[in-house]
């Protein structure tokens, strides 16, 4: 058995309860004794419940036993008519508390209106406003907008919780956090504490009543392609003025709203949506009167008025548009009006050259007489099929949006899709990056020099960057002349790449370095004669931290490279320039501590003396290698595995890794929940399977390859699961995809550790190597975990079997624990793949990538890949 659960506050205007915002049907019992219990995820405030049976035993009898558990709910209520309000005069000084809360419930049929307005000193104010069914919170400017379709005349919960300078805004069960400016924090605390410690008497303005009288509004939902509503004409239509009115809402771009025959003219009238625009067409006149965009999910009103000499149509009253024609609409008692579509057996009086309407209608009126849709439901009036009466089943599938990385969510009545254009991401929800994470990954795929996009964190928030292969040179020296008016020289360096991109590249790389050089003549660098610091630089993430060592020295040493090497010109000083010689000398070296990179700014202090000269150079930031790409573990027993914390990917999962094995089967990874699970395994020597269950039953996506996968060569696996579909790709073989159910559970709920290379039962474990395992853009450190796990070894040699062909022209592939290199000595060639021909055997040709944002990737050998990030000098000041 199965059923739908609906609830109402008035006995009308029913709304369907949904689990996880998508699953509407509840599964009931399968026999006479078994009890099925459900606990609703969100509490419901209602006076009436309705169960609609969907499935039952066709050979048995329908029966129902039901128990409902809940709590009595009472609350003070106030009603406003759109021009009334309650005013509170605030006069107390606020007392500061770390947490302040404002909460309320509201219900309305109007899609716009102010719920709360708090005015402070000056022009500062807080506003909670309903705009087109969405709730907006602003304080001089829009801070956040959330919720949707809140004009459904059902109770919605709003809560504003301030914690220090942050404000959590919750509408029903969706929460967003915003940061409050200081002036709004004061106003918010003033407002909250006034109501917490003083109980003010409100001043009603206008028609305010302390009860909730609700107008009865009966809606009908056109659910599918067979939906229609047929109404007979009135027994007597007035001869001078005739009117037909209705309201509708939908997400679809096309659908027939109303059609009827013109008996005297022998034509048809069509009111329909096409390409998201409302059109009125009279077939006999072959004329379209009106075009307005109407598929925004809002209620829109349409009124057709026919007089003796013309026909007019008004949309959304004063806020919409009006059109007229000289054609009239004479209707008789035999006229039949069709809303939403046509009955299958009514082809003689109804034709529909357009798509069937899917959406909601209400307030149908014929010549000023409201249509009683309850009588229609009871088959007393008119005819219908596939309608849901006294409910509007519209769902906003784009709020909150499941489309990621700034992609646009576009919805219809039954589904949504994401437009990933220009986002740099792919998939049904634009979750997975379209690009590789490093130049190293491109190189080992055999790509040659050219333009590339690099996404260092895959599906993470950091945007892709463009790179191009080219050569790079040294940066130029910046001369500093002595000045008796200035005590210091200050320079700030602005990098073209964003801070999060810089941090990700530095973290991911095996090694980073940046040159810091100072050439001097009678200009000390770090320490004056009396020991006072003269120069320093800022380095590291964000604005950086003060560093008092120079290139080539150790952090916090207050030294230059010459002191560390014992080669300073004067052993009494820790830098060559500090000796204050009258000849040119220099202190140069590399900053190699990644936590102190990049160099953000520089201050040089000994420039005011007559005859002092100096020149400095801050070089390109160079990062070499991709530590994630070669991060590997070797499993030599079927009972061995690595375990990690529970993987959390409720709505989106992307998993990628490389493997090589000589075995024909084994589990790559597995994570279990109470009922849900996710698993990827090698099912046979030529088949990989992606298994998962989010509560709708087990799903499997299989990829069969035409070549064996147990050939001891590296193979790539990419699996993705989101609310729309699941996909699996192995190497460059065609991907397999399976759609998610249209109305099923969507949250993947796991609670056990993540097992890699095996399962919790220690059965069907994987034998071989797994490398570069990444889940939702995060690389798991297999090597570190393998060092402390019996039966698993850190690293995995044997790369030449997969990449040896990249060493061309008789070059010899040389194995390394983390990658390989090409030995060019047997060949008259050199380069990254021994591919670029040179005239002399041992000379070296260098190739490099240069980004449009001055990001350069230099490659000297197959295991020596470097990111070079040039900086721009933002300003040069002398103070």
């Amino acid at each position: 058995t199965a059923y739908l659960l609906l609830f109402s506050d008035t006995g009308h205007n029913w709304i369907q309860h949904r689990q996880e915002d998508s699953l509407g049907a509840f599964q009931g019992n399968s026999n006479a004794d078994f009890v099925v219990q459900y606990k609703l995820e969100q509490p419901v405030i209602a006076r009436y419940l309705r169960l609609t049976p969907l499935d039952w035993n066709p050979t048995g009898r329908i029966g129902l036993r039901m128990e409902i558990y809940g709590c009595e709910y009472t609350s003070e209520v106030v009603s406003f008519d759109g021009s009334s309000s309650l005013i509170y005069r605030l006069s107390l000084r606020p007392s500061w508390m770390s947490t302040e809360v404002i909460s309320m419930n509201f219900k309305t049929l109007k899609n716009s209106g102010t719920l709360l307005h708090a005015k402070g000193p000056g022009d500062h104010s807080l506003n909670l406003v309903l705009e087109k069914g969405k709730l907006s919170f602003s304080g001089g400017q829009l801070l956040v907008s959330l919720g949707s379709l809140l004009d459904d005349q059902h109770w919605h919960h709003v809560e504003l919780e301030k914690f220090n300078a942050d404000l959590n805004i919750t509408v029903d069960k969706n929460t967003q956090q915003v940061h409050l400016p200081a002036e709004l924090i004061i106003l918010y605390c003033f407002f909250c504490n006034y109501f917490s410690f003083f109980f003010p008497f409100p001043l009603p303005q206008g028609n305010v009543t302390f009860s909730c009288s609700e107008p009865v509004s009966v809606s009908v939902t056109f659910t599918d392609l067979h939906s229609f509503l047929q109404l007979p004409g009135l027994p007597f239509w007035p001869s001078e003025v005739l009117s037909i009115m209705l309201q509708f809402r939908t997400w679809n771009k096309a659908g027939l709203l109303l059609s009827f025959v013109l008996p005297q003219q022998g034509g048809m009238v069509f009111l329909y949506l096409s390409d998201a625009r409302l059109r009125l067409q009279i077939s006999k006149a072959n004329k379209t009167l009106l075009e307005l965009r109407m598929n925004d999910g809002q209620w829109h009103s349409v009124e057709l008025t026919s007089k003796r000499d013309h026909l007019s149509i008004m949309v959304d009253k004063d806020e919409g548009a009006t059109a007229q024609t000289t054609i009239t609409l004479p209707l008789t008692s035999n006229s039949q009006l069709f809303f939403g579509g046509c009955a299958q057996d009514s082809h003689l009086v109804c034709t529909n050259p357009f798509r069937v309407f899917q959406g909601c209608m209400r307030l149908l009126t014929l010549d000023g007489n409201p249509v009683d849709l309850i009588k229609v439901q009871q088959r007393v009036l008119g005819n219908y099929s596939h309608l849901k009466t006294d409910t509007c089943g519209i769902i906003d599938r784009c709020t909150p949006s499941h489309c990621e990385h700034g992609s646009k969510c576009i919805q219809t009545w039954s589904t949504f899709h994401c437009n990933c254009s220009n986002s740099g991401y792919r998939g049904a929800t634009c979750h997975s990056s379209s690009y590789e994470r490093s130049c190293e990954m491109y190189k080992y795929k055999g790509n040659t020099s050219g333009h590339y996009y690099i996404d260092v964190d895959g599906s993470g928030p950091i945007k892709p960057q463009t790179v191009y292969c080219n050569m790079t040179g040294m940066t130029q020296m910046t001369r500093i002349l002595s000045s008796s008016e200035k005590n210091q020289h200050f320079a700030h360096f602005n990098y073209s790449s964003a801070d999060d991109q810089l941090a990700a590249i530095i973290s991911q790389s095996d090694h980073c370095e940046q040159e810091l050089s100072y050439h001097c003549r009678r200009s000390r660098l770090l320490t004056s004669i009396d020991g006072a610091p003269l120069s320093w630089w800022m380095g590291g993430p964000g604005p950086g931290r003060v560093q008092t060592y120079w290139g080539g020295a150790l952090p916090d040493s207050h030294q230059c490279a010459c002191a560390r090497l014992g080669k300073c010109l004067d052993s009494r000083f820790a830098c060559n320039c500090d000796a204050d010689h009258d000849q040119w000398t220099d202190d140069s070296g590399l900053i190699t501590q990644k936590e102190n990179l990049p160099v953000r700014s520089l201050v040089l202090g000994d420039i005011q003396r007559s005859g002092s000269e100096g020149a400095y150079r801050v070089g390109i930031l160079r990062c070499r290698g991709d530590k994630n790409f070669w991060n590997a573990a070797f499993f030599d027993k079927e009972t061995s595995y690595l375990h990690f914390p529970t993987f959390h990917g409720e709505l989106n999962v992307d998993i990628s890794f490389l493997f090589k094995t000589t075995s024909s089967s084994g589990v790559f990874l597995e994570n279990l929940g109470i009922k849900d699970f996710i698993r990827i395994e090698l099912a046979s020597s030529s088949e990989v399977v992606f298994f998962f269950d989010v509560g709708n039953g087990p799903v499997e996506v299989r990829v069969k390859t035409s070549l064996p996968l147990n050939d001891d060569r590296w193979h790539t696996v990419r699996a993705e699961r989101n609310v729309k579909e699941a996909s699996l790709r192995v190497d460059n073989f065609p991907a397999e995809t399976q759609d998610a159910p249209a109305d099923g559970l969507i949250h993947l709920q796991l609670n056990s550790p993540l097992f890699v290379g095996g399962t919790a039962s220690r059965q069907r474990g994987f034998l071989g190597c797994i490398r570069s395992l990444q889940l939702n853009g995060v690389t798991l450190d297999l090597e570190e975990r393998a060092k402390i796990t019996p039966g698993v070894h850190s690293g995995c040699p044997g790369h030449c079997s997969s990449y040896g062909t990249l060493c061309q022209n008789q070059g010899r592939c040389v194995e390394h624990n983390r990658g390989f290199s090409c030995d060019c000595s047997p060949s008259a060639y050199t380069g990254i793949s021994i591919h670029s021909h040179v005239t002399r055997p041992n000379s070296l040709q260098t190739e490099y990538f240069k980004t449009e944002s001055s990001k350069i990737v230099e490659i000297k050998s197959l295991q020596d890949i470097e990111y070079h990030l040039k900086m721009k000098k933002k300003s040069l000041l002398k103070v």
Side-chain angles (χ1 to χ4, degrees):
T1 58
Y3 60 92
L4 299 178
L5 175 64
L6 299 94
F7 57 89
S8 169
D9 206 25
T10 62
H12 290 285
N13 188 30
W14 296 89
I15 188 170
Q16 181 180 334
H17 180 78
R18 293 178 174 271
Q19 303 178 86
E20 293 190 1
D21 292 331
S22 61
L23 185 66
F26 289 84
Q27 295 300 315
N29 57 306
S30 56
N31 53 51
D33 302 315
F34 187 67
V35 176
V36 179
Q37 184 181 42
Y38 286 99
K39 183 178 293 185
L40 303 185
E41 295 180 355
Q42 295 293 323
V44 173
I45 301 175
R47 296 179 60 197
Y48 301 90
L49 294 179
R50 171 182 285 178
L51 267 69
T52 302
L54 298 178
D55 295 306
W56 58 87
N57 188 345
T59 62
R61 298 179 180 180
I62 298 178
L64 174 66
R65 293 181 296 177
M66 183 175 69
E67 292 181 349
I68 301 173
Y69 304 89
C71 304
E72 182 179 356
Y73 178 83
T74 58
S75 178
E76 295 182 355
V77 179
V78 61
S79 293
F80 304 94
D81 64 358
S83 60
S84 56
S85 61
L86 289 179
I87 299 178
Y88 294 85
R89 303 292 183 185
L90 307 182
S91 58
L92 297 181
R93 296 178 61 84
S95 59
W96 291 92
M97 298 178 65
S98 60
T99 303
E100 310 284 355
V101 178
I102 300 174
S103 65
M104 69 178 75
N105 293 331
F106 76 92
K107 64 190 307 187
T108 182
L109 280 173
K110 301 295 183 179
N111 68 352
S112 298
T114 299
L115 277 72
L116 174 66
H117 170 76
K119 183 172 177 55
D123 296 330
H124 302 309
S125 64
L126 291 175
N127 302 282
L128 194 61
V129 179
L130 190 66
E131 297 179 347
K132 292 189 175 181
K134 295 178 179 288
L135 201 61
S136 299
F137 181 75
S138 62
Q141 61 181 358
L142 179 65
L143 297 176
V144 67
S145 177
L146 68 167
S148 181
L149 306 177
L150 301 177
D151 56 340
D152 57 359
Q153 195 64 4
H154 287 274
W155 288 109
H156 297 282
H157 178 69
V158 182
E159 183 172 291
L160 290 80
E161 180 183 14
K162 184 192 76 68
F163 185 77
N164 295 327
D166 294 321
L167 182 69
N168 291 331
I169 303 178
T170 300
V171 176
D172 296 332
K173 60 181 181 180
N174 297 317
T175 301
Q176 289 192 29
Q177 186 177 85
V178 296
H179 184 77
L180 287 177
E183 61 273 11
L184 296 184
I185 296 176
I186 297 175
L187 178 57
Y188 187 90
C189 293
F190 194 98
F191 183 82
C192 287
N193 286 287
Y194 186 74
F195 280 89
S196 299
F197 301 108
F198 182 70
F199 302 97
F201 291 100
L203 301 175
Q205 299 288 320
N207 184 22
V208 177
T209 59
F210 293 91
S211 63
C212 195
S213 57
E214 303 179 37
V216 176
S217 175
V218 178
S219 303
V220 291
T221 304
F222 296 77
T223 58
D224 55 41
L225 300 179
H226 304 289
S227 299
F228 77 92
L229 169 61
Q230 178 184 351
L231 294 178
L234 297 176
F236 174 76
W237 291 91
S239 58
E240 295 186 356
V241 180
L242 176 150
S243 67
I244 302 173
M245 298 177 59
L246 62 91
Q247 291 187 4
F248 74 93
R249 73 191 312 174
T250 185
W251 298 116
N252 285 5
K253 292 184 176 182
L256 179 66
L257 295 174
L258 170 65
S259 66
F260 54 88
V261 175
L262 293 175
Q264 296 181 3
Q265 290 89 341
M268 288 284 297
V269 174
F270 299 103
L271 182 67
Y272 65 100
L273 288 170
S274 177
D275 194 25
R277 298 182 181 276
L278 180 66
R279 304 169 189 258
L280 176 65
Q281 180 176 322
I282 303 173
S283 62
K284 189 71 175 180
N286 195 24
K287 177 184 281 188
T288 299
L289 291 185
L290 190 68
E291 294 189 4
L292 291 173
R293 187 168 293 277
M294 291 290 179
N295 70 323
D296 56 0
Q298 302 297 311
W299 283 109
H300 297 283
S301 63
V302 182
E303 180 178 2
L304 288 173
T305 303
S306 176
K307 299 183 178 180
R308 283 187 173 182
D309 56 350
H310 72 276
L311 167 69
S312 65
I313 177 172
M314 179 181 292
V315 179
D316 290 342
K317 297 184 178 179
D318 297 336
E319 299 179 359
T322 303
Q324 294 184 355
T325 180
T326 56
I327 297 177
T328 60
L329 301 180
L331 296 178
T332 68
S333 58
N334 294 323
S335 298
Q336 299 291 318
L337 289 82
F338 290 87
F339 296 85
C342 293
Q344 294 182 354
D345 57 353
S346 62
H347 60 278
L348 296 179
V349 294
C350 177
T351 60
N352 181 11
F354 314 105
R355 292 186 179 181
V356 173
F357 174 74
Q358 288 180 288
C360 302
M361 290 189 191
R362 69 180 184 187
L363 301 180
L364 275 65
T365 304
L366 303 181
D367 196 35
N369 300 309
V371 176
D372 191 340
L373 294 174
I374 299 299
K375 288 186 177 180
V376 174
Q377 182 188 32
Q378 297 169 349
R379 303 285 183 179
V380 176
L381 176 66
N383 187 22
Y384 73 91
S385 177
H386 291 78
L387 289 188
K388 291 183 178 180
T389 305
D390 209 4
T391 182
C392 179
I394 191 170
I395 302 173
D396 191 342
R397 302 176 190 273
C398 288
T399 305
S401 176
H402 295 299
C403 300
E404 300 186 58
H405 298 107
S407 58
K408 185 178 180 180
C409 180
I410 303 171
Q411 62 183 317
T412 62
W413 180 259
S414 57
T415 188
F416 76 94
H417 75 272
C418 303
N419 185 353
C420 304
S421 300
N422 302 319
S423 70
Y425 296 85
R426 57 178 173 77
T429 59
C430 310
H431 174 75
S432 298
S433 178
S434 302
Y435 313 110
E436 300 294 351
R437 293 176 174 85
S438 67
C439 288
E440 193 146 352
M441 299 181 75
Y442 280 116
K443 278 296 166 183
Y444 288 102
K445 291 175 64 177
N447 295 60
T448 58
S449 300
H451 286 93
Y452 297 98
Y453 278 97
I454 292 177
D455 194 336
V456 293
D457 69 339
S459 59
I462 301 175
K463 295 181 179 180
Q465 305 175 69
T466 310
V467 298
Y468 174 72
C469 294
N470 206 334
M471 292 293 290
T472 183
M474 297 294 293
T475 55
Q476 297 297 315
M477 301 289 290
T478 301
R479 294 291 298 271
I480 305 172
L481 300 179
S482 63
S483 173
S484 59
E485 299 177 357
K486 305 297 182 181
N487 293 325
Q488 291 178 325
H489 172 83
F490 172 78
H492 179 82
F493 306 103
N494 182 31
Y495 292 82
S496 298
S497 295
D499 283 350
D500 56 352
Q501 293 174 323
L502 281 171
I505 290 173
I506 292 172
S507 174
Q508 180 175 297
S509 301
D510 284 322
H511 173 81
C512 292
E513 61 187 37
Q514 192 167 13
E515 181 189 8
L516 194 55
S517 298
Y518 188 57
H519 291 244
C520 56
R521 188 177 71 86
R522 296 193 62 190
S523 177
R524 301 181 184 92
L525 179 57
L526 290 183
T527 308
S528 63
I529 295 178
D530 59 5
L534 289 172
S535 306
W536 60 88
W537 53 278
M538 304 284 287
R545 298 177 300 276
V546 174
Q547 309 294 338
T548 57
Y549 71 102
W550 204 248
L554 297 177
D556 300 322
S557 63
H558 305 282
Q559 294 179 343
C560 298
C562 67
R564 185 175 65 86
L565 300 174
K567 296 181 179 180
C568 291
L569 295 177
D570 190 330
S571 61
R572 296 175 299 168
F573 299 97
C575 296
N576 289 324
C577 291
D578 288 350
D580 202 25
H581 285 187
D582 196 28
Q583 295 82 28
W584 280 97
T585 186
D586 73 283
D587 287 293
S588 303
L590 298 175
I591 307 296
T592 59
Q593 294 77 25
K594 294 201 299 181
E595 64 274 12
N596 294 336
L597 293 174
V599 176
R600 299 283 183 178
S601 58
L602 177 67
V603 176
L604 298 173
D606 190 15
I607 64 171
Q608 78 280 6
R609 292 184 298 151
S610 177
S612 293
E613 290 186 82
Y616 68 87
R617 177 170 59 227
V618 177
I620 297 170
L621 174 63
R622 304 169 185 260
C623 290
R624 180 174 62 249
D626 182 352
K627 66 180 183 180
N628 295 333
F629 185 62
W630 298 108
N631 193 301
F634 173 56
F635 303 84
D636 61 0
K637 297 179 181 178
E638 287 190 0
T639 57
S640 60
Y641 59 80
L642 298 177
H643 64 87
F644 294 87
T646 305
F647 171 59
H648 296 288
E650 291 191 354
L651 297 176
N652 288 285
V653 174
D654 76 90
I655 302 172
S656 64
F657 59 91
L658 294 93
F659 76 93
K660 70 187 188 80
T661 184
T662 57
S663 180
S664 60
S665 64
V667 175
F668 295 121
L669 61 87
E670 179 183 79
N671 207 164
L672 305 177
I674 297 176
K675 293 182 179 179
D676 298 358
F677 72 89
I678 187 170
R679 182 170 64 249
I680 303 177
E681 68 176 64
L682 182 66
S684 70
S685 60
S686 59
E687 185 177 36
V688 176
V689 187
F690 177 27
F691 296 96
F692 66 90
D693 188 353
V694 296
N696 305 312
V699 177
E700 60 180 54
V701 185
R702 293 177 176 268
V703 171
K704 294 185 178 181
T705 64
S706 58
L707 299 174
L709 300 173
N710 60 341
D711 56 357
D712 202 27
R713 297 169 62 91
W714 288 110
H715 299 280
T716 303
V717 176
R718 297 178 185 267
E720 181 178 353
R721 178 261 157 190
N722 52 59
V723 298
K724 294 278 290 181
E725 65 182 22
S727 63
L728 178 66
R729 178 182 291 274
V730 179
D731 293 337
N732 292 320
F733 293 99
E736 292 292 334
T737 303
Q738 186 161 327
D739 293 335
D743 201 18
L745 297 170
I746 60 175
H747 290 272
L748 176 66
Q749 298 176 344
L750 307 174
N751 56 17
S752 70
L754 168 67
F755 291 89
V756 177
T759 64
S761 63
R762 295 179 176 268
Q763 297 179 356
R764 299 181 297 111
F766 173 73
L767 292 174
C769 295
I770 296 178
R771 190 181 103 216
S772 189
L773 174 59
Q774 295 177 326
L775 286 79
N776 280 1
V778 178
T779 300
L780 299 188
D781 196 341
L782 303 178
E783 293 181 346
E784 288 301 314
R785 188 57 60 95
K787 292 176 181 178
I788 59 174
T789 305
V792 186
H793 304 279
S794 178
C796 186
H799 305 298
C800 285
S801 60
S802 299
Y803 304 120
T805 55
L806 295 178
C807 297
Q808 303 175 26
N809 300 309
Q810 299 179 352
R812 185 173 61 88
C813 180
V814 180
E815 288 282 356
H816 300 282
N817 190 42
R818 296 175 63 87
F820 72 100
S821 62
C822 294
D823 181 4
C824 305
S825 56
S827 170
Y829 295 79
T830 187
I832 59 170
S833 305
I834 319 178
H835 184 67
S836 304
H837 184 272
V838 294
T839 55
R840 290 176 297 178
N842 293 319
S843 63
L844 175 66
Q845 177 169 322
T846 303
E847 299 178 31
Y848 64 92
F849 295 143
K850 181 178 182 181
T851 69
E852 294 176 354
S853 59
S854 298
K855 172 171 178 281
I856 301 174
V857 179
E858 179 177 300
I859 304 175
K860 292 184 178 179
S861 65
L862 279 175
Q863 82 271 17
D864 184 23
I865 296 180
E866 299 185 353
Y867 297 84
H868 286 197
L869 291 104
K870 270 190 175 180
M871 64 189 68
K872 293 181 179 179
K873 190 182 301 179
K874 188 175 182 181
S875 61
L876 184 62
L877 303 176
K878 295 182 179 180
V879 295

